Amino acid sequence: QVQLVESGGGTVQAGESLTLSCTSYGLTLGPTYVAWFRQPPGKMREGLACLSGDDDGVVYRDAAKGRFTISRDAAKNMLYLEMNDLKPDDTAIYYCAAGGWCGKGRIPDRFNYWGQGTQVAVSS
């Protein structure tokens, strides 16, 4: 059974940083497309960042470019999202996902495995 578990969410002030972690159980993340999504209050879930299975392809949503960095530690079977200069508009539930695809500037919401989400709240 595959389980993805996010951690690292919390409440921060605008301008601060957070790093989210995602631990995979039952699925090797190394050769798999992995991604971070988020769902702001009252809005649809949106793809933020995606990493191809061989790490040579990265896609970022415009809102994440220059501030967020997705990375993977294959040895630990973990995925990370480093978030800098956080803004109130970044307030959302953040999800990690694995077993999908991204490319050509797109992060389709069609991943096979999802975490339960971690809350990030940014105050002004």
Side-chain angles (χ1 to χ4, degrees):
Q1 183 178 356
V2 175
Q3 188 177 13
L4 302 179
V5 180
E6 301 97 338
S7 61
T11 300
V12 297
Q13 293 190 334
E16 294 186 338
S17 300
L18 274 178
T19 296
L20 305 182
S21 300
C22 174
T23 304
S24 175
Y25 301 95
L27 176 69
T28 300
L29 294 182
T32 305
Y33 276 77
V34 289
W36 287 95
F37 289 76
R38 70 182 180 188
Q39 186 166 16
K43 296 183 179 181
M44 300 289 288
R45 188 165 58 191
E46 58 191 24
L48 271 181
C50 180
L51 191 57
S52 67
D54 54 8
D55 282 358
D56 70 350
V58 182
V59 178
Y60 287 103
R61 188 179 188 86
D62 284 348
K65 290 178 181 177
R67 297 190 300 127
F68 294 2
T69 302
I70 185 172
S71 62
R72 165 178 25 213
D73 186 328
K76 295 182 178 179
N77 215 28
M78 293 185 69
L79 177 67
Y80 304 98
L81 183 69
E82 180 183 349
M83 305 186 293
N84 298 310
D85 189 24
L86 284 162
K87 307 177 186 304
D89 284 349
D90 295 318
T91 295
I93 300 175
Y94 285 70
Y95 300 88
C96 63
W101 175 87
C102 62
K104 301 180 181 179
R106 297 172 54 235
I107 309 175
D109 191 1
R110 295 176 185 174
F111 279 70
N112 292 324
Y113 307 105
W114 294 84
Q116 81 289 349
T118 186
Q119 176 73 53
V120 172
V122 184
S123 60
S124 57

